[in-house]
Amino acid sequence: MIVTIDGPAGAGKSSIARDVAAELDYSFLDTGAMYRAITYGAMQKGIDLNDVGTLVEFAEAAHLTWCDDRIDLDDNDISVEIRTPQVTSNIRYIADPPEIRNCLMRQQRRIAQGRDLVTEGRDQGTEVFPDAHCKVFLTASPEERARRRQSQLQASGRQVSFEEVLMAQNQRDLEDRMRPVGRLRAAPDAIVIQTDAMGPEQVKQAVLLAVQSCLEKQAKP
């Protein structure tokens, strides 16, 4: 069974998806790591990041494999390299063009084939796996998400004001909702979980309850 967990930035999708996958003994697919991998590979090859045609050719030819927290590009482990600030600052060149998103969508479906999988992103239940048996949409108020992000940044030693975090997040939300492909929205059949005032364990349990409900529906004749 495929479980999709979508939602806006700062909703806690990645950590919750990992925990839910571990609890269910399912595979976990970090779609963001896939976009980072293509970004890193293109940078290593010196591809002009404004050259969408060449980026599409590279993404089509690239072979990505994902297992636990390891991602390989053409049989090379790049799990550490994709987390650098340089990759982060350039990922938009890969994530924005619809032609490249379609390439990555096909890669995600290939990786998921024949697996019990938890996958997270913003378009997993709407675009990538529209026939998934269980779709969850995690969300929270902009202020709550900004507070969480600010705490994460402070924990990593970066002092950023709440106002700066909120402004950047609101801009990203707007861009995510306006994308021609993969825009942020809940699937019509998604179970929406509002996570304000919920701790990580409460959110995990809410998602597990949603999965259990989906499994019970699937089992009915």
Side-chain angles (χ1 to χ4, degrees), residues 3 7-8 11 20 49 54 56 61 73 78 89-90 96 106 109-110 116 127 140 145 152 155 161 163 168 181 188 204:
V3 178
V20 168
L49 296 180
T54 302
V56 169
L73 172 62
I78 56 169
S89 65
N90 285 323
D96 288 350
R106 290 192 290 273
R109 289 171 177 164
R110 175 184 57 77
D116 289 324
E127 302 285 348
R145 291 187 286 119
Q152 289 174 342
S161 72
E163 290 73 19
V181 175
K204 184 183 83 170

mmCIF file of all heavy atoms in Angstrom, residues 3 7-8 11 20 49 54 56 61 73 78 89-90 96 106 109-110 116 127 140 145 152 155 161 163 168 181 188 204:
data_model
loop_
_atom_site.group_PDB
_atom_site.id
_atom_site.type_symbol
_atom_site.label_atom_id
_atom_site.label_comp_id
_atom_site.label_asym_id
_atom_site.label_seq_id
_atom_site.Cartn_x
_atom_site.Cartn_y
_atom_site.Cartn_z
ATOM 1 N N VAL A 3 1.125 5.162 1.064
ATOM 2 C CA VAL A 3 0.597 6.220 1.923
ATOM 3 C C VAL A 3 1.259 7.520 1.503
ATOM 4 O O VAL A 3 2.491 7.637 1.529
ATOM 5 C CB VAL A 3 0.894 5.949 3.408
ATOM 6 C CG1 VAL A 3 0.368 7.093 4.281
ATOM 7 C CG2 VAL A 3 0.304 4.612 3.850
ATOM 8 N N GLY A 7 1.526 18.412 2.190
ATOM 9 C CA GLY A 7 1.253 19.560 3.037
ATOM 10 C C GLY A 7 2.244 20.670 2.772
ATOM 11 O O GLY A 7 3.232 20.490 2.056
ATOM 12 N N PRO A 8 2.005 21.837 3.345
ATOM 13 C CA PRO A 8 2.878 22.989 3.125
ATOM 14 C C PRO A 8 4.193 22.868 3.881
ATOM 15 O O PRO A 8 4.346 22.003 4.762
ATOM 16 C CB PRO A 8 2.041 24.158 3.663
ATOM 17 C CG PRO A 8 1.206 23.528 4.739
ATOM 18 C CD PRO A 8 0.866 22.157 4.221
ATOM 19 N N ALA A 11 5.058 21.883 7.940
ATOM 20 C CA ALA A 11 3.991 21.080 8.554
ATOM 21 C C ALA A 11 4.532 19.822 9.224
ATOM 22 O O ALA A 11 3.784 19.093 9.859
ATOM 23 C CB ALA A 11 2.953 20.700 7.502
ATOM 24 N N VAL A 20 6.212 7.261 10.689
ATOM 25 C CA VAL A 20 5.091 6.410 10.308
ATOM 26 C C VAL A 20 5.576 5.206 9.504
ATOM 27 O O VAL A 20 5.135 4.073 9.726
ATOM 28 C CB VAL A 20 4.043 7.222 9.509
ATOM 29 C CG1 VAL A 20 3.016 6.305 8.858
ATOM 30 C CG2 VAL A 20 3.351 8.219 10.428
ATOM 31 N N LEU A 49 22.077 25.788 -15.286
ATOM 32 C CA LEU A 49 20.820 25.522 -14.596
ATOM 33 C C LEU A 49 19.643 26.276 -15.189
ATOM 34 O O LEU A 49 18.494 26.041 -14.793
ATOM 35 C CB LEU A 49 20.970 25.834 -13.102
ATOM 36 C CG LEU A 49 21.982 24.953 -12.355
ATOM 37 C CD1 LEU A 49 22.047 25.336 -10.889
ATOM 38 C CD2 LEU A 49 21.643 23.478 -12.497
ATOM 39 N N THR A 54 18.555 20.717 -21.468
ATOM 40 C CA THR A 54 19.666 19.859 -21.049
ATOM 41 C C THR A 54 19.384 19.241 -19.684
ATOM 42 O O THR A 54 19.732 18.078 -19.426
ATOM 43 C CB THR A 54 20.983 20.660 -21.012
ATOM 44 O OG1 THR A 54 21.222 21.213 -22.307
ATOM 45 C CG2 THR A 54 22.153 19.779 -20.638
ATOM 46 N N VAL A 56 16.451 18.423 -18.541
ATOM 47 C CA VAL A 56 15.495 17.334 -18.776
ATOM 48 C C VAL A 56 16.228 16.097 -19.278
ATOM 49 O O VAL A 56 15.979 14.971 -18.813
ATOM 50 C CB VAL A 56 14.412 17.765 -19.787
ATOM 51 C CG1 VAL A 56 13.593 16.555 -20.240
ATOM 52 C CG2 VAL A 56 13.493 18.814 -19.183
ATOM 53 N N ALA A 61 18.022 10.586 -18.075
ATOM 54 C CA ALA A 61 19.067 9.567 -18.127
ATOM 55 C C ALA A 61 19.545 9.131 -16.744
ATOM 56 O O ALA A 61 20.104 8.033 -16.587
ATOM 57 C CB ALA A 61 20.255 10.093 -18.932
ATOM 58 N N LEU A 73 22.912 8.201 -6.981
ATOM 59 C CA LEU A 73 22.754 8.724 -8.335
ATOM 60 C C LEU A 73 23.745 7.991 -9.222
ATOM 61 O O LEU A 73 24.959 8.084 -9.005
ATOM 62 C CB LEU A 73 23.019 10.233 -8.366
ATOM 63 C CG LEU A 73 23.073 10.879 -9.752
ATOM 64 C CD1 LEU A 73 21.739 10.745 -10.481
ATOM 65 C CD2 LEU A 73 23.487 12.343 -9.655
ATOM 66 N N ILE A 78 25.247 9.685 -2.698
ATOM 67 C CA ILE A 78 25.410 11.147 -2.574
ATOM 68 C C ILE A 78 24.546 11.678 -1.431
ATOM 69 O O ILE A 78 24.155 12.842 -1.437
ATOM 70 C CB ILE A 78 25.059 11.855 -3.903
ATOM 71 C CG1 ILE A 78 23.630 11.507 -4.360
ATOM 72 C CG2 ILE A 78 26.074 11.502 -4.993
ATOM 73 C CD1 ILE A 78 23.136 12.367 -5.510
ATOM 74 N N SER A 89 20.291 26.136 -2.472
ATOM 75 C CA SER A 89 20.042 27.402 -3.165
ATOM 76 C C SER A 89 19.709 27.212 -4.637
ATOM 77 O O SER A 89 19.124 28.098 -5.261
ATOM 78 C CB SER A 89 21.257 28.326 -3.027
ATOM 79 O OG SER A 89 22.388 27.778 -3.691
ATOM 80 N N ASN A 90 20.052 26.046 -5.203
ATOM 81 C CA ASN A 90 19.826 25.815 -6.633
ATOM 82 C C ASN A 90 18.675 24.857 -6.937
ATOM 83 O O ASN A 90 18.355 24.641 -8.103
ATOM 84 C CB ASN A 90 21.099 25.274 -7.286
ATOM 85 C CG ASN A 90 22.155 26.339 -7.476
ATOM 86 O OD1 ASN A 90 21.850 27.491 -7.774
ATOM 87 N ND2 ASN A 90 23.418 25.966 -7.287
ATOM 88 N N ASP A 96 11.055 23.612 -10.248
ATOM 89 C CA ASP A 96 10.057 24.476 -10.872
ATOM 90 C C ASP A 96 9.601 24.048 -12.274
ATOM 91 O O ASP A 96 8.400 24.048 -12.546
ATOM 92 C CB ASP A 96 10.562 25.918 -10.913
ATOM 93 C CG ASP A 96 10.569 26.581 -9.539
ATOM 94 O OD1 ASP A 96 10.010 25.981 -8.606
ATOM 95 O OD2 ASP A 96 11.129 27.680 -9.409
ATOM 96 N N ARG A 106 8.049 10.163 -12.777
ATOM 97 C CA ARG A 106 8.210 8.806 -13.294
ATOM 98 C C ARG A 106 9.216 8.012 -12.461
ATOM 99 O O ARG A 106 9.020 6.822 -12.206
ATOM 100 C CB ARG A 106 8.634 8.856 -14.760
ATOM 101 C CG ARG A 106 7.536 9.347 -15.699
ATOM 102 C CD ARG A 106 7.890 9.110 -17.153
ATOM 103 N NE ARG A 106 8.973 9.974 -17.600
ATOM 104 C CZ ARG A 106 8.798 11.198 -18.084
ATOM 105 N NH1 ARG A 106 7.578 11.719 -18.176
ATOM 106 N NH2 ARG A 106 9.830 11.925 -18.478
ATOM 107 N N ARG A 109 7.501 6.902 -9.221
ATOM 108 C CA ARG A 109 6.602 5.763 -9.444
ATOM 109 C C ARG A 109 7.391 4.477 -9.640
ATOM 110 O O ARG A 109 6.971 3.410 -9.176
ATOM 111 C CB ARG A 109 5.711 6.044 -10.655
ATOM 112 C CG ARG A 109 4.658 7.105 -10.398
ATOM 113 C CD ARG A 109 3.956 7.510 -11.672
ATOM 114 N NE ARG A 109 2.893 8.486 -11.425
ATOM 115 C CZ ARG A 109 2.327 9.220 -12.374
ATOM 116 N NH1 ARG A 109 2.720 9.087 -13.652
ATOM 117 N NH2 ARG A 109 1.372 10.083 -12.068
ATOM 118 N N ARG A 110 8.522 4.574 -10.317
ATOM 119 C CA ARG A 110 9.348 3.378 -10.533
ATOM 120 C C ARG A 110 9.864 2.846 -9.201
ATOM 121 O O ARG A 110 9.808 1.640 -8.936
ATOM 122 C CB ARG A 110 10.518 3.713 -11.457
ATOM 123 C CG ARG A 110 11.494 2.555 -11.651
ATOM 124 C CD ARG A 110 12.685 2.968 -12.496
ATOM 125 N NE ARG A 110 13.411 4.093 -11.954
ATOM 126 C CZ ARG A 110 14.259 4.011 -10.917
ATOM 127 N NH1 ARG A 110 14.440 2.845 -10.308
ATOM 128 N NH2 ARG A 110 14.891 5.077 -10.485
ATOM 129 N N ASP A 116 5.384 -1.499 -0.196
ATOM 130 C CA ASP A 116 4.590 -0.756 0.778
ATOM 131 C C ASP A 116 5.416 0.472 1.127
ATOM 132 O O ASP A 116 6.562 0.360 1.580
ATOM 133 C CB ASP A 116 4.332 -1.599 2.031
ATOM 134 C CG ASP A 116 3.346 -2.729 1.765
ATOM 135 O OD1 ASP A 116 2.400 -2.527 0.981
ATOM 136 O OD2 ASP A 116 3.540 -3.822 2.332
ATOM 137 N N GLU A 127 -0.773 14.264 -7.822
ATOM 138 C CA GLU A 127 -0.152 14.107 -9.124
ATOM 139 C C GLU A 127 0.604 12.787 -9.270
ATOM 140 O O GLU A 127 0.473 12.099 -10.278
ATOM 141 C CB GLU A 127 0.831 15.273 -9.383
ATOM 142 C CG GLU A 127 0.196 16.650 -9.313
ATOM 143 C CD GLU A 127 -0.650 16.973 -10.522
ATOM 144 O OE1 GLU A 127 -0.569 16.236 -11.524
ATOM 145 O OE2 GLU A 127 -1.414 17.961 -10.462
ATOM 146 N N ALA A 140 -0.924 23.243 9.164
ATOM 147 C CA ALA A 140 -0.957 24.023 10.410
ATOM 148 C C ALA A 140 -1.028 25.485 9.997
ATOM 149 O O ALA A 140 -0.787 25.827 8.834
ATOM 150 C CB ALA A 140 0.282 23.758 11.263
ATOM 151 N N ARG A 145 3.636 27.077 11.815
ATOM 152 C CA ARG A 145 4.693 26.508 10.979
ATOM 153 C C ARG A 145 5.956 27.358 11.035
ATOM 154 O O ARG A 145 7.069 26.835 11.051
ATOM 155 C CB ARG A 145 4.193 26.349 9.546
ATOM 156 C CG ARG A 145 3.134 25.270 9.404
ATOM 157 C CD ARG A 145 2.768 24.993 7.966
ATOM 158 N NE ARG A 145 1.952 26.043 7.366
ATOM 159 C CZ ARG A 145 2.301 26.774 6.316
ATOM 160 N NH1 ARG A 145 3.474 26.585 5.724
ATOM 161 N NH2 ARG A 145 1.485 27.688 5.827
ATOM 162 N N GLN A 152 13.796 25.143 14.560
ATOM 163 C CA GLN A 152 14.756 24.275 13.871
ATOM 164 C C GLN A 152 16.028 25.054 13.523
ATOM 165 O O GLN A 152 17.139 24.549 13.701
ATOM 166 C CB GLN A 152 14.132 23.715 12.596
ATOM 167 C CG GLN A 152 13.038 22.683 12.831
ATOM 168 C CD GLN A 152 12.361 22.263 11.529
ATOM 169 O OE1 GLN A 152 12.453 22.945 10.509
ATOM 170 N NE2 GLN A 152 11.680 21.127 11.559
ATOM 171 N N ALA A 155 18.071 25.737 16.597
ATOM 172 C CA ALA A 155 18.741 24.522 17.059
ATOM 173 C C ALA A 155 20.008 24.232 16.257
ATOM 174 O O ALA A 155 20.946 23.612 16.761
ATOM 175 C CB ALA A 155 17.785 23.331 16.975
ATOM 176 N N SER A 161 14.843 36.000 12.793
ATOM 177 C CA SER A 161 13.655 36.507 13.470
ATOM 178 C C SER A 161 12.406 35.765 12.986
ATOM 179 O O SER A 161 12.364 35.256 11.853
ATOM 180 C CB SER A 161 13.488 38.002 13.223
ATOM 181 O OG SER A 161 13.088 38.248 11.877
ATOM 182 N N GLU A 163 9.639 37.099 12.175
ATOM 183 C CA GLU A 163 9.066 37.828 11.046
ATOM 184 C C GLU A 163 9.731 37.435 9.738
ATOM 185 O O GLU A 163 9.057 37.280 8.712
ATOM 186 C CB GLU A 163 9.198 39.336 11.264
ATOM 187 C CG GLU A 163 8.313 39.910 12.365
ATOM 188 C CD GLU A 163 8.793 39.543 13.774
ATOM 189 O OE1 GLU A 163 9.991 39.166 13.920
ATOM 190 O OE2 GLU A 163 7.981 39.639 14.712
ATOM 191 N N ALA A 168 9.318 34.615 4.548
ATOM 192 C CA ALA A 168 9.865 33.673 3.565
ATOM 193 C C ALA A 168 8.914 32.504 3.352
ATOM 194 O O ALA A 168 8.714 32.039 2.223
ATOM 195 C CB ALA A 168 11.229 33.169 4.029
ATOM 196 N N VAL A 181 2.570 22.775 -12.362
ATOM 197 C CA VAL A 181 2.597 21.332 -12.124
ATOM 198 C C VAL A 181 3.038 21.110 -10.683
ATOM 199 O O VAL A 181 3.972 21.738 -10.210
ATOM 200 C CB VAL A 181 3.567 20.613 -13.083
ATOM 201 C CG1 VAL A 181 3.674 19.133 -12.731
ATOM 202 C CG2 VAL A 181 3.110 20.779 -14.524
ATOM 203 N N PRO A 188 -8.863 15.524 -3.175
ATOM 204 C CA PRO A 188 -10.264 15.508 -2.717
ATOM 205 C C PRO A 188 -10.555 14.406 -1.700
ATOM 206 O O PRO A 188 -11.405 14.584 -0.827
ATOM 207 C CB PRO A 188 -11.048 15.284 -4.014
ATOM 208 C CG PRO A 188 -10.153 15.794 -5.097
ATOM 209 C CD PRO A 188 -8.760 15.481 -4.642
ATOM 210 N N LYS A 204 1.905 11.800 14.787
ATOM 211 C CA LYS A 204 2.197 10.445 14.290
ATOM 212 C C LYS A 204 1.023 9.514 14.554
ATOM 213 O O LYS A 204 0.610 8.744 13.675
ATOM 214 C CB LYS A 204 3.457 9.896 14.944
ATOM 215 C CG LYS A 204 3.855 8.515 14.391
ATOM 216 C CD LYS A 204 5.074 7.951 15.091
ATOM 217 C CE LYS A 204 4.702 7.276 16.397
ATOM 218 N NZ LYS A 204 5.833 6.516 16.983
#
